[in-house]
């Protein structure tokens, strides 16, 4: 696959322009976009850039991080703090994401999205207020392992790191999670599954398949 060099600022602008044309496949009024990538790839940074570019274009959006939907520590760490299977399959509250983020955006939904549910630092509910996404608004969800859950995304962006870059840019204390991303590649192949691929090995010089 041929990738073209680009700056992060330009990438944010071009993605925002593309999102202006995206229509929900299910007939709803709010497009749902994934920014998928390991934490080391910083998919949230790109989601925020796109949100800023959309604001300039007069389109409301809401950035939601999957890390705000972690399960309580008693469930997440039931099998230990470094259990790869738990990280891959049990750390994120997928049911809550369906209920609080995707459900309200279905046709006939009220558009009231919960931006986060659980604070892993305090291990308590965040008690955040719901955010109303108006018709024509855009949901920008970022996080790891997003493309394996059959979420109803209307556009998917995957931030790719080579195995070497992923290891270098992941803090050593989190290296135990790396096998989960190897499994993700084997089972989901996000680089070819995603609509848009962004190679982020060099944090200053991304490339994408435009």
């Amino acid at each position: 696959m041929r990738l073209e060099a680009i700056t992060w600022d330009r990438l944010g602008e071009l993605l925002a322009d593309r999102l202006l044309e995206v229509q929900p496949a299910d007939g709803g009024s709010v497009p749902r976009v994934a920014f998928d990538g390991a934490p080391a790839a910083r998919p949230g940074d790109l989601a925020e850039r796109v949100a800023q570019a959309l604001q300039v274009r007069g389109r409301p959006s809401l950035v939601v991080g999957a890390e705000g939907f972690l399960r309580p520590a008693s469930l997440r760490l039931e099998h230990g703090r470094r259990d790869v299977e738990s990280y891959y399959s049990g750390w994120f509250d997928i049911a809550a994401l369906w209920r609080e983020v995707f459900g309200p955006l279905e046709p006939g939904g009220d558009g009231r999205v919960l931006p986060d549910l659980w604070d892993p630092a305090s291990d308590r509910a965040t008690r955040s207020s719901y955010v109303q996404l108006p018709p024509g608004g855009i949901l920008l969800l970022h996080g790891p392992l997003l493309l394996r859950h059959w979420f109803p995304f209307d556009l998917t962006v995957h931030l790719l790191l080579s195995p070497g870059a992923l290891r270098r840019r992941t803090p050593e204390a989190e290296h135990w999670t790396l096998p989960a991303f190897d499994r993700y590649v084997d089972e989901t192949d996000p680089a070819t599954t995603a609509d848009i691929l962004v190679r982020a090995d060099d944090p200053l010089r991304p490339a994408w398949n435009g």
Side-chain angles (χ1 to χ4, degrees), residues 103-115:
L105 302 181
E106 293 177 350
D110 62 11
R112 296 177 68 248
V113 173
L114 190 66

Side-chain angles (χ1 to χ4, degrees), residues 48-87:
E48 292 288 354
R49 285 180 186 272
V50 172
Q52 293 169 11
L54 286 170
Q55 183 177 17
V56 172
R57 289 157 174 77
R59 286 290 293 274
S61 65
L62 176 64
V63 177
V64 175
E67 70 273 8
F69 287 83
L70 288 172
R71 301 171 76 202
S74 60
L75 300 174
R76 197 170 69 247
L77 308 178
E78 181 179 5
H79 300 288
R81 293 183 176 274
R82 297 190 172 192
D83 185 81
V84 177
E85 177 62 33
S86 293
Y87 180 75

Side-chain angles (χ1 to χ4, degrees), residues 32-183:
R32 298 144 298 189
V33 184
F35 291 85
D36 175 65
R42 305 185 68 85
D45 289 359
L46 181 56
E48 292 288 354
R49 285 180 186 272
V50 172
Q52 293 169 11
L54 286 170
Q55 183 177 17
V56 172
R57 289 157 174 77
R59 286 290 293 274
S61 65
L62 176 64
V63 177
V64 175
E67 70 273 8
F69 287 83
L70 288 172
R71 301 171 76 202
S74 60
L75 300 174
R76 197 170 69 247
L77 308 178
E78 181 179 5
H79 300 288
R81 293 183 176 274
R82 297 190 172 192
D83 185 81
V84 177
E85 177 62 33
S86 293
Y87 180 75
Y88 190 74
S89 301
W91 270 44
F92 296 92
D93 194 338
I94 303 305
L97 280 167
W98 277 103
R99 182 181 68 249
E100 304 291 358
V101 177
F102 291 101
L105 302 181
E106 293 177 350
D110 62 11
R112 296 177 68 248
V113 173
L114 190 66
D116 52 59
L117 178 65
W118 200 259
D119 181 354
S122 64
D123 200 32
R124 296 178 181 274
T126 58
R127 303 187 184 280
S128 294
S129 299
Y130 284 86
V131 176
Q132 184 74 46
L133 256 177
I138 301 175
L139 171 72
L140 309 173
L141 177 66
H142 64 84
L145 313 174
L146 291 179
L147 304 186
R148 59 179 297 265
H149 299 296
W150 299 99
F151 290 135
F153 293 117
D154 300 297
L155 187 77
T156 54
V157 181
H158 176 65
L159 281 79
L160 174 68
L161 292 176
S162 67
L166 177 60
R167 176 168 288 274
R168 287 194 305 272
R169 293 176 57 184
T170 299
E172 186 172 353
E174 298 172 14
H175 277 190
W176 65 272
T177 65
L178 298 181
F181 294 103
D182 293 336
R183 179 177 171 185

